[in-house]
Amino acid sequence: MAVRICEHCGESNKEHQRLCLACGHSLKDVPLVGTPDSEKYEALDRNARERRLCSNCSEELEEGALKCKYCGAPVVKASSPTYVPMAEDTTLLWPKVLVVAATVIIPLVGLIVGGIRAFSQDKDEQLTGGVLVAVGLVMLGIHYFLKSMLGY
């Protein structure tokens, strides 16, 4: 992170500042200290991959530095990647169980009960049975649609 250091009060200001934030003095002719942001994000060459950069301001760190000389952030040493075994993900199992219960088990029970009631002598039970059979068939259709869309 490049800064402009005020010649009047010595305060560090961001590179785009034109007036000092502390005293209001003009920073028009004050040179930048550090690497401007526009230069930081250019394509990395082979040597840039070997350089260590500050995790806070992305300035290049000096060899053996314990803190960044530009922002003062402590240098965090990169640790070697360690293998952590992935835990089995069971958080996504319960929605599938609910979908199966709602679109397979409940409609099958509805089809069985509705089929029995549809052949009853009472007209109200026949109507109820027909509705249960129709709802069961619709729910099974939804199940197969979701199965083809979600692929479970």
Side-chain angles (χ1 to χ4, degrees):
M1 173 169 81
V3 295
R4 294 183 191 274
I5 300 175
C6 179
E7 296 170 342
H8 187 257
C9 69
E11 183 69 27
S12 295
N13 295 278
K14 293 184 179 181
E15 67 180 271
H16 60 82
Q17 294 295 127
R18 297 295 173 223
L19 295 174
C20 178
L21 291 174
C23 69
H25 192 263
S26 174
L27 299 173
K28 182 179 179 185
D29 297 326
V30 177
L32 285 175
V33 177
T35 308
D37 287 340
S38 59
E39 293 177 14
K40 285 184 194 177
Y41 304 110
E42 292 178 3
L44 296 175
D45 58 357
R46 213 174 285 150
N47 294 333
R49 292 183 187 161
E50 297 172 5
R51 294 184 302 178
R52 291 182 10 180
L53 300 177
C54 175
S55 60
N56 188 42
C57 68
S58 300
E59 284 291 333
E60 186 174 357
L61 296 170
E62 293 178 348
E63 193 66 36
L66 298 177
K67 67 179 187 174
C68 176
K69 70 179 182 180
Y70 297 102
C71 70
V75 174
V76 178
K77 292 185 179 180
S79 61
S80 61
T82 57
Y83 173 73
V84 178
M86 296 280 295
E88 188 174 317
D89 188 12
T90 58
T91 58
L92 297 178
L93 182 62
W94 69 269
K96 290 182 180 181
V97 171
L98 289 176
V99 167
V100 169
T103 60
V104 174
I105 297 170
I106 295 172
L108 286 177
V109 171
L111 286 171
I112 293 169
V113 172
I116 292 170
R117 285 190 156 200
F119 293 106
S120 173
Q121 297 297 325
D122 187 15
K123 293 285 183 189
D124 289 334
E125 284 190 18
Q126 286 178 352
L127 181 63
T128 303
V131 169
L132 284 174
V133 169
V135 169
L137 290 173
V138 167
M139 291 303 292
L140 285 175
I142 291 172
H143 167 75
Y144 288 112
F145 173 75
L146 289 176
K147 185 175 181 180
S148 66
M149 294 300 289
L150 301 177
Y152 70 90

